Amino acid sequence: MYQLEESKKLYFEGKEVFTKENDTHKAKELFEKSIQACDYSPYPLYGLYRIYGSLKDYEREERFANKALQASIKFEEKYSYEADAEFYKNTAYLQDYYFKNHLKALDYYEKALEKDSYDSDTYYKAAYIYEEDLKEFSKAERYYIKAIEIDSHNFPALFNYAYFLQFKLNKFDDALNFYYKALEEKKDDYNTLNRIGYLTETYLKDTEKAIEYYEASIKSKDDYYLSYYNAAYLYLNFLNEPEKAKEYLQKSIDLNPSYHYAYENLGYLYESVYHDYNKSEELYLKSISLAPTDVETMYKLAYMYQFKMNLLKDAEKTYLKILEINPNHVSSINNLGIAVEGLYQDYEKALSYYEKAYQIDPTFGRAVYNIGYIHQYKLIDKPNNIQIAKEYYKKALAIDPNSYFAYIDLGFLAEVHDKDYNKALDYYKRSIELLPSYAPGYYNIAFVLERYFDDREGALDNYEKAILYNPNYAEAYNAAGLIYETMLSDNEKAIDYYQKAYDCNPNNHVYSYNVGYLSERYLKDYNRAVDYYEKAIRLNPSYVDAYNSAGFIYETQFNNINKASSYYKKGYELDPRHKGVVYNYAYINLYQKDYEKALKLFQEYIALRDDYAPAWYFLGYLYDLYLNDADKAKEAYLKSKDLSPDYADPYYSLGLLYEEVYMDKTVAKGYFRKAYELGKRTAFLEELFGGEL
């Protein structure tokens, strides 16, 4: 056992040098001497894997983590009588934080405590596992208390215990007490300040004091969103400070304090004010309050609700009030049919309103047109619906030859049902001849030119005209943006148009995604990109591209692996043949050490696409380190390098394979040299070739 004692002595010297002096080179030498002193000692392997992790040499970190784990298992089997608290703490840490095997980690934490029952950190780490993984709250609490009894200045123990009391036991007084103690140890900790603020607000109901904590949290960390949100909520709802709340509340409250959307959709109301619709509403309502039977003012208000503000329920109510006063008001009857379509999708009832308007006034062309429209687009299962639609469109034109909208829908029937694209263009052109500012006419011309005649320049010209006459035409912005991006490579113009499409219709997931895509690829604004990808997901929870793109940013830019993994997983569940999702989900599982799942996913990806070198490399990597199948690993590495001869990683891994498995250092060195020539840099390769190249 002398060799083991000598190995441990060298290990502790190395640990001291590493943790206190941060001298990785000297520590590495001591750990290597420790290995030489006793070849079965796991202690130096713990040290080496942490050193390689600090140097960001992740391949060697993983190798030594696995070696340390295997060595600890063998050591415990053969020399358990020599295992001390340091051995168990290191093994627990390895299982807990590296391999994420919390229950195994807990077993080792307990063994460490059997050897050393006066270790505060071990108690609180074990407590966290009892809390989060086993839900054994009574034991978790005992361990937190023990950790704090041993070291009353242990900030993580104090904070985690307070959090546990708040969210698991609902002991808010006790939680506040321990948050206060945690704050004594770290006076500027933003998270502690925020938690105290939240309990002060919701439990103590002291908004003045709560805002002080939120502001202190913001001062401590000015990019922590939750503190800003909590402070804004108080300023908005409790503190009534005009300079902070006016932007959100004052204008809508001044316009209509009882309007139920005022507080829920403040942004939208402010947008409405800029278009002067709220001012119009105020004037109409004032007029109606002074003249409750003024049908024309009521009709104007209802029309604005319906077609400018999209307040269909308010529109319906107002139209019904009009009909109580004048049952034959055909415009209200007709528009009530449109409102019923939008509110309830009750198309038979809507048709009955249109037919009633037509019966009252057979020359009311809009009602005639609407009968045709509802047969074409809504009553699609009705016999002869297309023929009926054409008949009523022609009746509408007979009543009013200038019914440009009837030409639009006749054009659509020619395009979609008759496949007569030239005739469709003639109808669409006729609509804009009658009304040169009719934006849908230009849009439909553009669509036909792009889709059926491959005239993208002509299409873009007409999309721009549609936008000119309707600056809120979301579809036109998006379609034009796509041409700017894909045909003209004008990404600046494209993202401007995608953004305008989204601003015009923030409920369209494709528009949101397109803004995100160019924010990521062109602007490199990853926060903006992920915001729009997540909006696209909320709008369409089945939109796989958005899950994949959002996951990629969380992985590569924000280093939020759990968030990235959850997005990839959802995308994979929605479409297991989406190549981007399958690859990214495979890679993230590899990163998270779920080798079995990663192996399955990389195999699935290669079945979908077998010409991507990194996929073969990672497949080889899994054969190598997870299955210990050197031959399959070599085959995959060779496939990877053959597909991409300038890809350094497979050469490096082949070098490791030949050095450590096939024991052929000559071949290994050749692969290492090639990896180095291709730009692979590790401390090991620098030592081999740094002076040569």
Side-chain angles (χ1 to χ4, degrees), residues 350-387:
L351 177 61
S352 71
Y353 281 120
Y354 301 144
E355 290 176 337
K356 182 177 181 181
Y358 178 49
Q359 290 168 0
I360 293 171
D361 183 358
T363 65
F364 189 65
R366 190 71 200 198
V368 178
Y369 165 81
N370 285 344
I371 294 171
Y373 181 92
I374 205 167
H375 277 92
Q376 177 181 352
Y377 294 103
K378 307 301 181 181
L379 301 175
I380 57 176
D381 295 327
K382 197 161 186 162
N384 302 315
N385 71 301
I386 298 302
Q387 194 58 40

Side-chain angles (χ1 to χ4, degrees), residues 209-477:
K209 192 68 177 175
I211 201 68
E212 291 180 12
Y213 282 111
Y214 291 145
E215 288 183 336
S217 178
I218 291 168
K219 184 178 180 181
S220 175
K221 184 176 175 63
D222 64 4
D223 61 350
Y224 186 47
Y225 77 98
L226 192 57
S227 297
Y228 282 109
Y229 173 82
N230 288 341
Y233 182 85
L234 290 185
Y235 284 125
L236 189 64
N237 293 286
F238 296 98
L239 300 180
N240 196 29
E241 294 191 16
E243 66 276 13
K244 295 191 181 287
K246 184 177 181 181
E247 181 180 357
Y248 303 98
L249 295 175
Q250 192 60 58
K251 187 68 176 180
S252 62
I253 293 171
D254 289 344
L255 290 170
N256 184 358
S258 63
Y259 184 44
H260 71 282
Y261 282 123
Y263 297 99
E264 297 177 9
N265 297 282
L266 294 171
Y268 178 77
L269 287 178
Y270 271 95
E271 182 180 351
S272 298
V273 169
Y274 300 146
H275 289 89
D276 210 26
Y277 300 144
N278 283 324
K279 185 65 175 177
S280 295
E281 180 187 23
E282 180 184 12
L283 293 172
Y284 289 147
L285 290 173
K286 181 67 174 176
S287 174
I288 293 167
S289 69
L290 295 172
T293 60
D294 183 356
V295 169
E296 291 308 311
T297 304
M298 292 177 69
Y299 176 76
K300 290 177 182 177
L301 176 61
Y303 188 92
M304 187 184 72
Y305 279 143
Q306 183 173 11
F307 297 109
K308 302 294 178 63
M309 300 177 73
N310 198 34
L311 300 173
L312 300 184
K313 194 68 178 176
D314 289 329
E316 180 193 32
K317 290 178 181 178
T318 308
Y319 287 134
L320 290 172
K321 287 181 180 178
I322 290 171
L323 295 179
E324 289 174 2
I325 299 167
N326 180 1
N328 293 323
H329 194 278
V330 290
S331 293
S332 293
I333 296 170
N334 179 70
N335 288 355
L336 189 56
I338 298 172
V340 166
E341 281 193 57
L343 280 170
Y344 311 113
Q345 292 78 53
D346 188 341
Y347 304 121
E348 291 289 350
K349 186 174 183 180
L351 177 61
S352 71
Y353 281 120
Y354 301 144
E355 290 176 337
K356 182 177 181 181
Y358 178 49
Q359 290 168 0
I360 293 171
D361 183 358
T363 65
F364 189 65
R366 190 71 200 198
V368 178
Y369 165 81
N370 285 344
I371 294 171
Y373 181 92
I374 205 167
H375 277 92
Q376 177 181 352
Y377 294 103
K378 307 301 181 181
L379 301 175
I380 57 176
D381 295 327
K382 197 161 186 162
N384 302 315
N385 71 301
I386 298 302
Q387 194 58 40
I388 293 171
K390 288 182 180 180
E391 176 188 341
Y392 275 91
Y393 290 147
K394 290 175 181 179
K395 284 184 178 180
L397 287 170
I399 295 168
D400 181 4
N402 296 321
S403 297
Y404 56 89
F405 39 83
Y407 280 110
I408 279 286
D409 289 294
L410 282 170
F412 188 79
L413 288 174
E415 174 192 342
V416 175
H417 292 277
D418 301 334
K419 311 299 182 186
D420 188 339
Y421 307 123
N422 287 303
K423 189 173 184 180
L425 278 176
D426 289 341
Y427 279 129
Y428 294 148
K429 289 176 181 178
R430 180 61 178 153
S431 75
I432 60 174
E433 288 172 3
L434 292 169
L435 184 64
S437 62
Y438 187 48
Y442 294 104
Y443 178 86
N444 287 6
I445 291 170
F447 186 87
V448 170
L449 290 173
E450 181 180 8
R451 176 67 63 88
Y452 304 112
F453 294 95
D454 197 28
D455 182 359
R456 301 182 82 188
E457 290 184 7
L460 182 59
D461 180 61
N462 280 278
Y463 285 137
E464 291 285 13
K465 287 179 180 176
I467 292 166
L468 173 66
Y469 293 115
N470 180 4
N472 298 311
Y473 205 151
E475 295 94 330
Y477 280 118

Side-chain angles (χ1 to χ4, degrees), residues 60-108:
R60 291 193 180 272
E61 178 196 29
E62 182 168 5
R63 286 182 177 276
F64 277 98
N66 280 287
K67 286 181 179 181
L69 182 63
Q70 296 303 317
S72 66
I73 292 170
K74 291 179 181 178
F75 185 82
E76 190 174 17
E77 288 175 353
K78 293 184 178 181
Y79 307 102
S80 59
Y81 54 89
E82 291 291 338
D84 57 9
E86 183 72 13
F87 165 79
Y88 288 121
K89 283 192 291 184
N90 273 309
T91 305
Y93 185 91
L94 195 65
Q95 293 282 9
D96 197 358
Y97 294 97
Y98 194 82
F99 292 102
K100 308 300 182 187
N101 195 332
H102 305 306
L103 297 183
K104 281 189 178 180
L106 180 61
D107 183 52
Y108 284 110

Side-chain angles (χ1 to χ4, degrees), residues 4 63 134 334 434 554 572 594 626 635 693:
L4 178 61
R63 286 182 177 276
L134 297 178
N334 179 70
L434 292 169
Y554 275 109
Y572 177 77
D594 191 339
Y626 173 56
E635 180 183 350
L693 302 177

Side-chain angles (χ1 to χ4, degrees), residues 17-31:
V17 168
F18 178 52
T19 57
K20 294 190 177 179
E21 300 176 22
N22 199 29
D23 188 338
T24 57
H25 181 73
K26 186 177 179 181
K28 185 170 175 286
E29 288 181 350
L30 288 165
F31 290 145

